Amino acid sequence: MLSVRGLTKRFGEFTAVDDLSFNVEQGQVYGFLGQNGAGKSTTIRMLLSLIRPTAGEINFFGQSLFTHRKEILAQIGAIVEKPDLYKYLSALEHLSLFARFGGHRPDQKKHLLLLEKVGLAQRATSRVGTYSQGMRQRLALACALVNDPSLLILDEPTNGLDPQGIADMRQLIRSLCKEQGKTVLVSSHLLSEIEMIADRVLIIHKGKKVAEESMESLTAKASQLKLQALPEKRYVLEAYFLSLTNQ
Amino acid sequence: MLRLVWISLVILSNSIAAQASIDPATLLAGVKKKYDLVRDYTAAAQLKTNVLFIKAPLSQVTVYYRRPDQLKIRNQKGISFVPKGTVNINLNNVLGLQNFEAIAAGTEMVNGVSCAIIKVFPLNDEEDIIRATLYVDPIKLLVLKSIISTRESGTYQISMQYGKYASWGLPDRVSVEFNTREFKLPKGTTLDYDNGTAKTITQKGPQKGKVDILYRSYMINQGVSEAIFR
Amino acid sequence: MFISILYTELFKIFRRPRTYISFGAIAVIVMLVQFALRVNGTEFIRFFTDSQADIFEIPESQILNGYFVCVAILHLILIHVPLLVALIAGDMIAGEAQTGTLRMLVAQPASRTTLLLAKFSASTIYVLLLLLWMALFALGGSLLLFGQEDLVVFRETDLHIISQQDVLWRFFAAFIYAALALTMIAALALLLSVFAENALGPIVATVCIVIVFTILQQLKVPVFEQTINPWSFTTHMLGWKGFFYVEQTSEGVTITGSVENPMALVKSGAILIAYTLLFVLVAERVYRKKDILC
């Protein structure tokens, strides 16, 4: 579904992403981890063609992003960093807007169902300016889903959500993957959340890949490292992440 | 042939002698008597402004007159910049003078007609007119040209051509030449678009402008309301 | 796809309360000028005719008609409208970059060229609607309030009298020309918007550029008159007034339906179009390769 080879991005002397390669298979929830400034957002921006890579290849669905950008983006829904939306528009108007971008006619019934799914049906016609951060996050997810994409790229989707919201988001991502066969690439700093939903995890540090494992293999490795013996109660992924990033 | 030239010279010298002998006051009285046939008129006319800095279309105007010297030019539609003298300074201002001195100043051909030149000097200091020179056709008793100098509005030269209303002393065509002033607005106030055409340069000193009035028809002595002149 | 994006851009423009500030400002300015001229119009006319007042009968009440008032309003407003245009066009990309919505937009399945052209077209439609609004108030309103008569247009060294049957088409032509000029301003603001990540920058920069070139034009310094001014867009933005300068016959009578030196207007129009295309082209080139980091 997604194949990245030798992806590099330099800003002058600074290398933000360095020779990154990974594969995301269809139907997977793919966790994308890294510290602040590790290069996660730069990578996601390159995947969405917001910034041009210095080197490397990005292929979606067997096609190069550089030559088939429009067709590829038509099959991707995304949230990039914090969800900034049009404060003067309502949730329904946002969905109409993004439906048109995807070349679809706005369908209010369908949009209301989608808003119900993300828990925003009650505020469908309120201006986004009146929304909390969590509600904006939910709307951003609805916007990403409005054109029924086969791949979702979600950058910190649980940011600003309350515990119930986080649980709902987790549930939603799982159901999108299991019930609708969608592929989800999700980055988060909440390692416990990734551990609960991801099938496979990519960890980057200072722009370089330091690990790419399935959750099963990662759990096994963590056992070998005897991480469970640590005095604090930590999740496996968190412990493994910290050992890799020298914290 | 020689005989024909001789006869012409005799006729011409007789005519000049006859004119020279005309008393200017008598001639003016004759002219006034003719002009006094008209109590009032309403005339349809075409007005053409020929002033360097005014770019205007031909205007259709109505000219109203009431004895002794009320004159009003009204556009049938549209806007015209009519020189004040055209309205204020007309022949009736001169012919209507009560206290003046008239002096014969020879003859001159105007539009092919030998005219007697009569200089008129008002004796009343309060008159706007300082002096007037009238070129009068002594046979038809018509004024063909006048040069009128005023205290308020400078000098006007009025030329007249007569046609079917000549018996009333009313012209078919009047040309008024007058002094104009420089037209120049402060820079930057009009934010002009420079379309590359040479600017109209009006001189700082006095220069001439002209208005032509071509009369199409007159309604004579039918009465004109006083209100029109207000 | 272009139409869909254009629709969304227009939708965004006209759902944003800020958009209506321009329409409100124009309505208020027009009404204020109309009121001022209603109260003190003859004084305003005397400013132009004073030097000739003792030579000509000045038909002040006739000069002060709907067409004259409309020209006076356009005169006052069209210098300031670039600010209102920059307010929208300068915000088109930089404003979205500032609020963070640009990254969502660029991640949509549309080429950046299509997105930029849709934004430019939306700005152009906004300009046209603004001018239509202005025409409605300035021309329609003034005709209702002051009536119809011949139009007198004052230039620095002459004045033109245009018969009322010959005026209306000139206003249409002038509005179309003004649209061309303001579209060029929209293109400039859009170009500056591409470089910025804050809406204020391109808006202020656009207005500053217009002010600087207008001052250079008004200074009438020979060195600028021969070098910069012939190619300065502010010189050609005044072209709308050219439709109110009438050609004369050799006998000094104006020719109905004519325009003095129409080739100058064609040239000015072509220069404005060239600037517009240049600005849009450069904006497209830059924007297509730009990294969206905000």
Side-chain angles (χ1 to χ4, degrees):
Chain A
M1 167 135 303
L2 167 61
S3 162
V4 174
R5 289 285 161 270
L7 193 64
T8 304
K9 179 66 185 180
R10 288 190 199 97
F11 295 105
E13 294 292 303
F14 174 68
T15 304
V17 177
D18 192 2
D19 196 24
L20 187 65
S21 299
F22 62 92
N23 288 310
V24 179
E25 300 300 326
Q26 187 164 0
Q28 272 185 343
V29 175
Y30 194 89
F32 189 29
L33 302 172
Q35 292 174 324
N36 286 342
K40 295 192 303 292
S41 288
T42 305
T43 304
I44 285 178
R45 280 168 191 264
M46 283 192 279
L47 295 182
L48 293 168
S49 84
L50 293 174
I51 57 179
R52 296 164 78 86
T54 310
E57 279 178 29
I58 302 169
N59 288 295
F60 285 93
F61 321 110
Q63 290 178 315
S64 167
L65 178 67
F66 310 133
T67 53
H68 294 81
R69 179 183 176 277
K70 206 174 140 186
E71 297 90 315
I72 289 168
L73 289 180
Q75 297 178 65
I76 298 175
I79 299 176
V80 190
E81 293 180 36
K82 71 180 171 72
D84 291 305
L85 299 154
Y86 301 102
K87 289 179 183 167
Y88 49 89
L89 299 183
S90 69
L92 270 176
E93 285 168 337
H94 270 87
L95 295 184
S96 298
L97 216 69
F98 284 97
R100 282 184 193 278
F101 269 118
H104 302 109
R105 275 182 170 275
D107 180 343
Q108 198 165 324
K109 264 188 188 172
K110 192 181 141 194
H111 294 170
L112 278 170
L113 281 173
L114 188 56
L115 289 175
E116 205 172 309
K117 198 184 263 187
V118 297
L120 272 181
Q122 299 293 316
R123 299 288 302 276
T125 54
S126 306
R127 286 189 176 197
V128 168
T130 63
Y131 283 14
S132 67
Q133 183 65 23
M135 289 166 80
R136 289 179 195 191
Q137 196 75 31
R138 288 161 195 262
L139 176 57
L141 182 66
C143 290
L145 287 169
V146 74
N147 291 321
D148 196 22
S150 47
L151 171 65
L152 279 167
I153 298 178
L154 308 175
D155 193 3
E156 305 281 0
T158 51
N159 261 2
L161 293 180
D162 55 23
Q164 182 58 50
I166 293 172
D168 290 347
M169 183 68 80
R170 188 194 310 142
Q171 185 62 36
L172 187 64
I173 291 173
R174 269 191 187 149
S175 76
L176 285 169
C177 191
K178 305 293 176 224
E179 289 161 27
Q180 295 181 39
K182 293 191 191 302
T183 309
V184 182
L185 188 151
V186 57
S187 87
S188 177
H189 64 279
L190 294 175
L191 303 178
S192 55
E193 286 303 317
I194 295 288
E195 187 177 340
M196 277 190 263
I197 57 172
D199 300 309
R200 199 170 173 81
V201 173
L202 168 71
I203 301 173
I204 62 168
H205 184 58
K206 291 182 179 169
K208 287 193 174 195
K209 178 165 89 174
V210 288
E212 189 191 11
E213 308 276 350
S214 69
M215 276 310 293
E216 293 85 14
S217 132
L218 197 141
T219 312
K221 277 188 180 173
S223 313
Q224 285 165 13
L225 287 169
K226 298 182 181 172
L227 289 169
Q228 294 95 323
L230 286 170
E232 314 97 64
K233 191 185 174 193
R234 277 182 170 159
Y235 287 99
V236 173
L237 180 58
E238 187 179 345
Y240 189 55
F241 177 85
L242 292 174
S243 76
L244 287 173
T245 55
N246 303 319
Q247 287 185 22
Chain B
M1 182 65 188
L2 198 66
R3 195 177 159 193
L4 193 68
V5 172
W6 177 246
I7 292 166
S8 303
L9 279 173
V10 169
I11 292 170
L12 189 67
S13 61
N14 281 348
S15 161
I16 291 167
Q19 284 172 18
S21 65
I22 294 170
D23 170 41
T26 313
L27 188 56
L28 279 183
V31 171
K32 187 172 185 310
K33 193 178 172 190
K34 184 162 196 171
Y35 278 77
D36 279 349
L37 291 173
V38 178
R39 281 195 317 277
D40 59 67
Y41 67 74
T42 303
Q46 179 180 277
L47 185 135
K48 183 182 152 198
T49 312
N50 207 339
V51 178
L52 194 61
F53 60 84
I54 296 177
K55 309 204 165 167
L58 292 173
S59 318
Q60 304 306 320
V61 296
T62 306
V63 184
Y64 300 95
Y65 166 75
R66 232 163 79 128
R67 210 159 63 192
D69 59 359
Q70 286 175 303
L71 193 82
K72 182 89 183 173
I73 300 175
R74 257 195 197 170
N75 271 43
Q76 286 168 3
K77 53 180 178 181
I79 293 172
S80 295
F81 280 60
V82 180
K84 278 186 171 167
T86 318
V87 180
N88 302 335
I89 314 303
N90 57 67
L91 214 50
N92 294 294
N93 295 111
V94 181
L95 296 175
L97 288 169
Q98 298 296 318
N99 194 7
F100 65 93
E101 189 181 343
I103 301 166
T107 59
E108 194 179 300
M109 297 295 282
V110 178
N111 297 333
V113 177
S114 174
C115 291
I117 304 172
I118 299 170
K119 289 188 184 284
V120 178
F121 298 92
L123 297 175
N124 187 347
D125 283 349
E126 285 170 13
E127 291 289 347
D128 184 33
I129 294 169
I130 303 165
R131 67 169 178 276
T133 307
L134 305 182
Y135 296 72
V136 183
D137 178 345
I139 296 158
K140 294 183 179 168
L141 294 176
L142 293 170
V143 179
L144 298 192
K145 188 167 115 180
S146 62
I147 301 168
I148 303 170
S149 298
T150 66
R151 288 178 214 282
E152 297 273 319
S153 317
T155 301
Y156 289 82
Q157 179 176 310
I158 307 170
S159 305
M160 283 149 284
Q161 289 174 28
Y162 296 85
K164 54 184 177 178
Y165 296 96
S167 57
W168 295 90
L170 295 175
D172 282 4
R173 186 185 192 109
V174 175
S175 294
V176 184
E177 274 186 47
F178 53 96
N179 292 331
T180 62
R181 257 197 224 132
E182 181 195 27
F183 182 82
K184 197 165 190 312
L185 296 169
K187 269 186 184 178
T189 50
T190 51
L191 273 181
D192 293 340
Y193 166 64
D194 182 5
N195 61 5
T197 46
K199 275 190 177 173
T200 310
I201 306 293
T202 44
Q203 293 160 3
K204 284 207 166 155
Q207 51 205 298
K208 293 288 178 195
K210 193 175 156 192
V211 162
D212 291 317
I213 304 170
L214 195 67
Y215 290 90
R216 286 197 303 273
S217 63
Y218 286 95
M219 277 165 51
I220 303 161
N221 297 339
Q222 305 281 309
V224 175
S225 162
E226 173 67 30
I228 285 177
F229 302 100
R230 270 183 223 136
Chain C
M1 191 56 170
F2 174 80
I3 299 294
S4 288
I5 299 174
L6 176 61
Y7 178 89
T8 61
E9 288 302 323
L10 287 172
F11 183 74
K12 284 190 287 182
I13 288 178
F14 289 100
R15 287 288 284 137
R16 193 163 40 184
R18 188 196 309 175
T19 303
Y20 298 95
I21 294 173
S22 308
F23 287 86
I26 283 179
V28 169
I29 295 168
V30 168
M31 285 192 282
L32 279 176
V33 176
Q34 284 168 340
F35 175 75
L37 289 177
R38 193 96 189 119
V39 173
N40 213 14
T42 42
E43 283 296 315
F44 181 67
I45 289 167
R46 272 176 207 152
F47 169 78
F48 298 106
T49 59
D50 217 22
S51 65
Q52 308 299 320
D54 52 351
I55 294 174
F56 293 95
E57 292 282 343
I58 311 287
E60 285 155 356
S61 59
Q62 279 181 290
I63 294 174
L64 189 67
N65 60 63
Y67 293 129
F68 179 83
V69 173
C70 184
V71 170
I73 290 169
L74 292 184
H75 208 115
L76 288 169
I77 280 189
L78 284 178
I79 303 167
H80 305 293
V81 169
L83 170 67
L84 303 178
V85 172
L87 210 63
I88 295 298
D91 187 66
M92 274 290 184
I93 299 212
E96 296 228 26
Q98 189 181 356
T99 55
T101 48
L102 188 65
R103 56 178 183 265
M104 278 176 73
L105 214 58
V106 177
Q108 298 305 311
S111 73
R112 290 194 188 187
T113 305
T114 308
L115 193 62
L116 187 98
L117 290 179
K119 281 185 176 288
F120 172 64
S121 305
S123 308
T124 306
I125 290 170
Y126 165 78
V127 162
L128 293 175
L129 290 173
L130 207 60
L131 279 167
L132 264 177
W133 178 254
M134 201 190 297
L136 184 77
F137 269 81
L139 186 58
S142 300
L143 284 175
L144 273 175
L145 285 169
F146 294 87
Q148 285 186 49
E149 210 12 299
D150 288 357
L151 171 65
V152 180
V153 177
F154 294 98
R155 229 168 20 169
E156 196 182 311
T157 56
D158 56 20
L159 62 93
H160 293 245
I161 303 173
I162 308 168
S163 65
Q164 57 174 297
Q165 294 78 11
D166 193 26
V167 170
L168 210 55
W169 76 268
R170 293 175 194 275
F171 275 103
F172 283 118
F175 276 113
I176 290 169
Y177 190 95
L180 207 64
L182 293 177
T183 302
M184 190 272 307
I185 294 291
L188 171 66
L190 192 74
L191 169 63
L192 297 172
S193 185
V194 164
F195 292 102
E197 283 169 9
N198 178 315
L200 200 61
I203 294 168
V204 172
T206 306
V207 174
C208 285
I209 290 170
V210 173
I211 290 172
V212 167
F213 280 99
T214 306
I215 289 172
L216 285 183
Q217 186 196 341
Q218 289 305 309
L219 283 175
K220 308 228 180 264
V221 178
V223 68
F224 297 140
E225 292 276 48
Q226 286 152 18
T227 51
I228 300 169
N229 290 353
W231 303 103
S232 153
F233 51 79
T234 49
T235 305
H236 301 286
M237 278 173 69
L238 286 173
W240 66 271
K241 295 191 82 178
F243 289 101
F244 297 102
Y245 302 156
V246 191
E247 188 64 73
Q248 279 182 304
T249 63
S250 55
E251 291 176 337
V253 177
T254 54
I255 303 164
T256 305
S258 73
V259 168
E260 193 180 81
N261 197 5
M263 284 317 291
L265 275 176
V266 172
K267 186 186 161 196
S268 289
I271 287 173
L272 289 179
I273 291 170
Y275 270 120
T276 307
L277 292 177
L278 178 73
F279 292 154
V280 173
L281 197 72
V282 175
E284 191 271 339
R285 290 276 147 179
V286 174
Y287 187 57
R288 207 169 58 177
K289 293 181 178 173
K290 192 186 177 187
D291 284 345
I292 309 297
L293 297 168
C294 49

